[in-house]
Amino acid sequence: MAKPRKPKTNEDQRADNSEAVVRHQKLCLNIDMDKRHVYGYTELEIVVPDNGVVGLHADNLAIERVTVDGEPALFEVFPHYQALDSENRWCGVSSATSAADAAGSVYLSSLERELVPNLLIMCSKSIKSVSEEQGQQNSESRLHLPEEPDQNVKLVRVDYWVEKADTGIHFGDNILHTDNQIRRARCWFPCLDDSSQRCCYDLEYTVANNFVAVSNGKLLYQVLSKDGLCKTYVYGLNVPVAARWISLAVAPFEVFPDCYSGLLSYMCLPAYLSKLRHTVGFFHSAFSHYEEYLSASFPFGSYTQVFIFPEVTISSTSSGASLTILSTQVLYDEKVIDQIIETRIKLAFALARQWFGVYITPEEPNDEWLLDGLAEFLSDSFIKRFLGNNEARYRRFKANCAVCRADDSGATALSYSASSKDLYGTQCIGLFGKIRSWKSVAVLQMLEKQMGPESFRKFRHYANKIGNLERPFLKEFFPRWVGSCGCPVLRMGYSYSKRKNMVELAVMRGCTATSDSIATVANGNHDSENKEGAAGCPGMMSIRVHELDGMYDHPILPMAGEPWQLLEIQCHSKLAAKRFQKPKKGSKPDGSDDNGDAMSTLDLRPNADSPLLWLRADPEMEYLAEINFNQPVQMWNLQSTILENGVAGLLCSVLDMGVLAETCEVGIVPGCNSTGVLLNQINQLEKDKDVVAQAQAISMLEAMPQLSFSVVNALNNFLTDAQVFWRVRIEAAFALAHTATEETDWAGLLHLIKFYKSRRFDANIGLPKPNDFHDFPEYFVLEVMQ
């Protein structure tokens, strides 16, 4: 975890002088868009180490001249990337395995070389230190300052041009932009391309007068050249950041200032201006929400979003200090609603990264996961506030499911020392990067449950004091979830004991990670306190029991323990108070009446001798775990028998389950099937208002080995209910399509066609009606059927 920084002593600062330290950097570039040429210089105020040699990173740059304090200096450039002798290197390759090993070795050696500064500048040691000069200029004030170590500060200037603009900086048709993926700032200006090196910047860019150059910090002023052909944009960034967060975009942009906040502005090419206005209309609300939630102003003073062609972008989002470059694919106009949710979440997350990732940086590599998680956590608060709790909860559930499926090796362990050290930062990009971000926020949400929301908000400064991070749970928490890999797998089944009036719950524990992966991560993480494997984790999971008399939570399931465990849960409902209701007078032979569905008058328990309706494990998603809940045979559905067999089924339903099974086997009740649908899951689908519970019920009903009409009817009723959250209705529609088989006489498909025609079909003309955008949820449900 991130620790508070201790004040450095004189010995510490002298030890730090073994490497150069950049205190300030100025970048001045001339950009010729026609020739696709960049040239200029950078000036760095550097604390020179004792050996007098300054090492910078500079790749694909042609270094013309280097001066130190205005005097020419000796320098050497060692290319990181060299032409390989393919014949000698690959002569030992004899199989696919050896080829993979050889290629991996080449790749890792290239990453190792990339970490080393390759522009070496010889700086002579100064006679007077900066502190001595300041003392001579102001001796009186010097008396009141603490003693500072002597520092050899030099002003290093490097004149250069970009030799090959193929990485780090990219040209398109009338567009230039940079990307700050791992270690790519060095590809367009000399710097110390290290996350631990942070300084303030002065930035100047000269372009043709019909172009706009947008960069980091505050735009101080613009200067038009004497001939009127060029314009210089001058920016000042007074917040120290790493070189990787310096960004640049040049194009004939249209500038659209935010109508509600003077700190926000947006830029795009003229053809996209109308879409831009429509897309960013909400953004000031997200900006204000973050400042309110964090009780802190935006750290950079201003924020700009730039939208460029997707053909020239490396990724859909590229973050820089006070600046985000995005693809125009996220823009939409008033006639398109399909992109609204995803675009708003993407823009909100990009803003969250400004706080956690750009402004707040990890003190050490092991803390990088924390910033990813905090950015996701902050964007989740935006989703809850503006898109609804159902949307936030559903998305988190799906993300957790994806993590459980993918978290099976050391590549997804959050600790840098445990697994990521050998990946050289590449673990934060691509699919694994997304999985790690989702895992990070899931870990933080677990932590919030233990600390409480208010204590968690003060996490950075007061967690030890308020949240009591020293208690046993949290001592085990970080080694398990940060220093290890894999998610717990819980396979559970239950039965009801009428004699004890208890639920007997059997649990089998496992882990998504293989034993080899767990051992590898444990060996690589010397700080890990959890040496017994990753099958379990600290804490107690809650089992929620829905009974006739209400809902009860039982936090009784230990997340760690023996592979097998049997638990007992006391039921609260009394069977004597709830009896099976007889059909109303005047009912029809099939069990229905003229007033509607007679099933609403029936006791929908899975068993007449059981007070249980349904059970759920971890209903509040307090743990990142894969949960498989298996229903016992004696809890199988009786409702399907009633629906499919009318009065005969109704008579069967009052019999003992064993008698019912025998009756079905000898064929007394036509169509009666002891492996019918689980009434528990139908109850959960129809009565539980939690979107996660509904999604879980649909998944289990769809996965039934033998489908029945009651499953189809339950899914269809759920689909047609306009009060249900639309994303879960879509899952019900896909489940209906899955159930469309000969076994069910294609009933699922018929229901889907009937539903679609009732909403979209115009019988007068025999064609579909135009799209109706007045009801967004209904539109999204119908859209998946087209």
Side-chain angles (χ1 to χ4, degrees), residues 157-203:
R157 171 169 169 156
V158 180
D159 293 80
Y160 71 98
W161 68 84
V162 177
E163 189 172 31
K164 186 183 295 183
D166 57 358
T167 182
I169 187 167
H170 308 273
F171 283 92
D173 293 336
N174 282 341
I175 292 180
L176 174 147
H177 75 98
T178 62
D179 73 271
N180 51 17
Q181 285 192 343
I182 305 168
R183 298 181 294 275
R184 288 298 171 265
R186 65 186 68 181
C187 295
W188 63 286
F189 68 97
C191 58
L192 270 177
D193 204 357
D194 188 334
S195 297
S196 63
Q197 291 279 349
R198 297 183 291 273
C199 67
C200 300
Y201 286 82
D202 290 330
L203 306 168

Side-chain angles (χ1 to χ4, degrees), residues 735-782:
L736 272 176
H738 179 76
T739 63
T741 62
E742 291 184 5
E743 183 182 356
T744 58
D745 293 334
W746 308 101
L749 178 60
L750 297 176
H751 281 307
L752 288 173
I753 294 174
K754 181 179 178 181
F755 174 77
Y756 184 80
K757 290 180 69 174
S758 66
R759 267 70 171 180
R760 292 293 306 278
F761 189 71
D762 190 337
N764 295 326
I765 62 175
L767 294 173
K769 299 176 184 178
N771 286 332
D772 184 1
F773 301 110
H774 293 90
D775 189 344
F776 285 2
E778 194 75 9
Y779 166 79
F780 286 129
V781 174
L782 292 170

Side-chain angles (χ1 to χ4, degrees), residues 156 170 204 279 284-285 328-329 334 392 448 703 783:
V156 177
H170 308 273
E204 297 182 9
T279 302
H284 69 279
S285 300
T328 54
Q329 287 180 321
E334 65 277 2
E448 183 194 30
E783 192 268 342

Side-chain angles (χ1 to χ4, degrees), residues 580 583 638 641-642 645-656 659-660 663 668-669:
F580 193 89
L638 296 173
T641 305
I642 298 169
N645 301 286
V647 176
L650 182 60
L651 292 175
C652 271
S653 67
V654 298
L655 300 177
D656 183 77
V659 177
L660 174 63
T663 305
I668 294 177
V669 181

Side-chain angles (χ1 to χ4, degrees), residues 133-146:
E133 294 176 356
Q134 291 177 346
Q136 294 175 358
Q137 295 174 1
N138 193 348
S139 58
E140 294 182 1
S141 61
R142 182 71 176 85
L143 296 175
H144 301 286
L145 294 175

Side-chain angles (χ1 to χ4, degrees), residues 67-104:
T67 63
V68 176
D69 288 340
E71 298 294 330
L74 297 176
F75 67 92
E76 286 188 81
V77 181
F78 301 93
H80 279 146
Y81 311 102
Q82 300 175 355
L84 301 178
D85 186 355
S86 57
E87 293 184 1
N88 295 333
R89 180 171 292 275
W90 303 109
C91 61
V93 174
S94 59
S95 65
T97 302
S98 60
D101 293 340

Side-chain angles (χ1 to χ4, degrees), residues 478-774:
F478 293 107
R480 169 59 187 88
W481 287 109
V482 179
S484 185
C485 64
C487 297
V489 178
L490 300 176
R491 293 178 172 86
M492 292 178 273
Y494 70 90
S495 64
Y496 172 71
S497 174
K498 181 179 178 181
R499 181 176 61 85
K500 299 179 181 179
N501 194 28
M502 284 186 174
V503 177
E504 296 176 337
L505 181 69
V507 181
M508 183 176 72
R509 297 183 178 87
C511 183
T512 59
T514 62
S515 57
D516 293 340
S517 298
I518 296 172
T520 300
V521 172
N523 292 334
N525 185 11
H526 302 293
D527 297 330
S528 176
E529 299 177 8
N530 185 14
K531 303 296 183 182
E532 298 180 357
C537 66
M540 301 286 286
M541 180 178 286
S542 179
I543 305 297
R544 177 169 293 175
V545 181
H546 292 262
E547 304 180 25
L548 292 173
D549 292 344
M551 179 188 74
Y552 303 93
D553 283 342
H554 304 270
I556 63 167
L557 176 57
M559 293 298 293
E562 296 297 325
W564 291 89
Q565 188 173 7
L566 183 64
L567 303 171
E568 291 184 338
I569 302 175
Q570 182 67 54
C571 293
H572 297 75
S573 302
K574 296 180 180 179
L575 288 174
K578 298 286 184 179
R579 302 299 302 171
F580 193 89
Q581 300 181 21
K582 297 180 179 180
K584 296 180 180 179
K585 291 183 178 181
S587 61
K588 297 179 180 180
D590 63 355
S592 63
D593 59 36
D594 295 332
N595 295 326
D597 188 1
M599 289 307 300
S600 61
T601 67
L602 297 178
D603 185 352
L604 297 184
R605 286 174 288 168
N607 190 330
D609 293 329
S610 169
L612 304 179
L613 296 177
W614 70 93
L615 273 70
R616 291 185 61 200
D618 193 22
E620 300 301 325
M621 292 192 296
E622 295 180 305
Y623 296 95
L624 184 60
E626 180 181 321
I627 300 173
N628 299 306
F629 223 136
N630 300 316
Q631 309 288 345
V633 173
Q634 60 264 35
M635 306 301 289
W636 281 346
N637 179 28
L638 296 173
Q639 183 183 9
S640 61
T641 305
I642 298 169
L643 288 175
E644 296 172 12
N645 301 286
V647 176
L650 182 60
L651 292 175
C652 271
S653 67
V654 298
L655 300 177
D656 183 77
M657 282 297 297
V659 177
L660 174 63
E662 295 175 2
T663 305
C664 294
E665 287 177 5
V666 299
I668 294 177
V669 181
C672 183
N673 189 346
S674 62
T675 59
V677 70
L678 301 174
L679 182 59
N680 299 64
Q681 301 309 320
I682 292 182
N683 282 339
Q684 180 173 324
L685 177 64
E686 294 179 344
K687 296 182 179 181
D688 203 317
K689 303 304 180 184
D690 181 15
V691 295
V692 174
Q694 295 165 353
Q696 290 172 334
I698 291 173
S699 178
M700 294 191 70
L701 290 174
E702 183 181 1
M704 288 292 295
Q706 291 182 334
L707 300 170
S708 66
F709 289 105
S710 57
V711 175
V712 177
N713 293 336
L715 292 172
N716 181 61
N717 292 337
F718 191 83
L719 170 64
T720 57
D721 188 354
Q723 302 301 316
V724 175
F725 182 51
W726 63 273
R727 287 195 185 275
V728 194
R729 291 175 66 193
I730 289 177
E731 290 205 12
F734 282 111
L736 272 176
H738 179 76
T739 63
T741 62
E742 291 184 5
E743 183 182 356
T744 58
D745 293 334
W746 308 101
L749 178 60
L750 297 176
H751 281 307
L752 288 173
I753 294 174
K754 181 179 178 181
F755 174 77
Y756 184 80
K757 290 180 69 174
S758 66
R759 267 70 171 180
R760 292 293 306 278
F761 189 71
D762 190 337
N764 295 326
I765 62 175
L767 294 173
K769 299 176 184 178
N771 286 332
D772 184 1
F773 301 110
H774 293 90

